[in-house]
Amino acid sequence: MNIWLASFAGIGIGLVGLFLIATTNRIQKASFVGPSVNRRSVILLRDGLVIHSNEHAQRSLGDLVLPGQSWCRLKDRLATFIDGLPDELPDQPVVLGDTGAKGQQLFLRTDGETRILELGDIHSSGDIAAADTPEDASTEAVEMAVTPMWKTNSDSQIIWSNAAYNALIRDCGAAGEQATQLFNLPVIDTKTARQSRASLETAAGKKHWFEITSQPTETGTLYYASNIDALVTAELAQRNFVQTLTKTFAHLPIGLSVFDKDHRLVLFNPALLDLTRLPVEFLSARPNLLSFFDHMRENRMMPEPKNYTSWRDQLTNVVNAAQDDRYCETWNLPSGLTYKITGRPHPDGAIAFLLEDISAEISLTRRFRSELEMTQSVIDSFDDAVAVFSQLGVLTFCNTAYRTLWDCEPDSAFAEMTIVDATQAWSKACVPTPVWPEIREFVLTLRDRAAWDTGLDLRQGGSLFCSVEPVAAGSTLVRFSKMTAASAVPAATMDTTE
């Protein structure tokens, strides 16, 4: 949008330059000082009102502000130079009035709805049917421009305005005999152009926004206004969207920071303040990425890199990774906290960083892992071989004695070991017995179950005492104990009480 405004402003300046060239050329051709100098003054009228005049015409008619004047008022002032002017302007090219002893002529030309009056010496060229000159073309281009343009003198009075500006006056209900200053703009005390924004409300109650460029000249100030309603609406929508995002993420426990395409902070939520301990004044000043991470390092809210200088050089890689949705790190802080930082790409080159405190999750995971390791250590100290199967029949746990007894390593297997796989391995090492289908059915059943046990004979000699017990979450514990002579139980006897 800014590129469009700049292009539009360039076109406006070019049109105004053409108009100034045309006006300068006409000044060199017209004069009211005397009959010996061959120069003219030009006045343009439309709908009976003056819409434009060159500077010679304005100076010749004294303090009368021409833009907006009616033909009636203009005729009275022109009577100083020429007699016998008609009450109504003709529709065809003609020489107006009687030259008489005053030695002046008023030529009328038409261009559509525009009446062009040229006042000059009777010895000057008066070909009223002459073809349009380049100056006429440039004047017409400025007059027909859709951009409102106007010029003020040193007293801030409008001395010229184009049709677009006059149309704007009518839309605002301020039309009168003189051009009205619609915008309350400050007087420029420098020789450089300046841009400002101003709003205008029409008679229908509709509000419009304009980007107004003020260009000082030797005789006053030239203005042109570009309508920026679409830009203002887009900015308002963006501001409302940002406010909505801010409200949405206000109670989010995850710290959010969004950096624009220039890597400056444009959005953050309160959780970021709590997690980073950065002052709100610093974040509100829209710091860049380097300053943001520098302050986090100073607050000891990020791990201290071994070589911070090289890490800053690698920040470009961090940004690129975030733009590709590949950046995710876990920070273990000196305070004992653990942060997870994730980079996410956003439209138009923006980047969002999410900062999450996962200290409780990490602590719970570590405690759970510690408990598992302790439980494994305790079970491994048993002489009995122990295995636990889930409700779906998958081996979830076994101790060292089980691995040694059945010569297996479930953790290194490609696929999960099931109760079917386990009973097949057991049956190969034991004397045939009808107990294996019973064990499989017990593990996979969903109904209430009761513990039972049986004896097993090994093919290489010796006996085992097998105990099958239901445990929590529908799982089943199978335990194998070596039998002594005193505790031997015949393999044929099996307690299947439910």
Side-chain angles (χ1 to χ4, degrees), residues 56-83:
H56 281 286
Q58 181 63 56
R59 286 200 299 265
S60 299
L61 297 180
D63 58 353
L64 179 64
V65 179
L66 288 177
Q69 294 293 345
S70 64
W71 165 247
C72 182
R73 291 283 300 276
L74 182 62
K75 181 188 68 172
D76 294 341
R77 187 57 65 93
L78 289 174
T80 306
F81 305 99
I82 194 168
D83 298 327

Side-chain angles (χ1 to χ4, degrees), residues 280-295:
V280 65
E281 296 81 7
F282 169 73
L283 296 178
S284 299
R286 301 185 61 200
N288 57 29
L289 267 173
L290 287 177
S291 299
F292 179 78
F293 283 110
D294 281 342
H295 278 70

Side-chain angles (χ1 to χ4, degrees), residues 11-26:
I11 294 173
I13 292 175
L15 292 176
V16 172
L18 290 175
F19 165 72
L20 293 177
I21 293 173
T23 303
T24 303
N25 291 337
R26 289 183 181 276

Side-chain angles (χ1 to χ4, degrees), residues 90 351 433 480:
I351 303 173
T433 175
F480 300 93

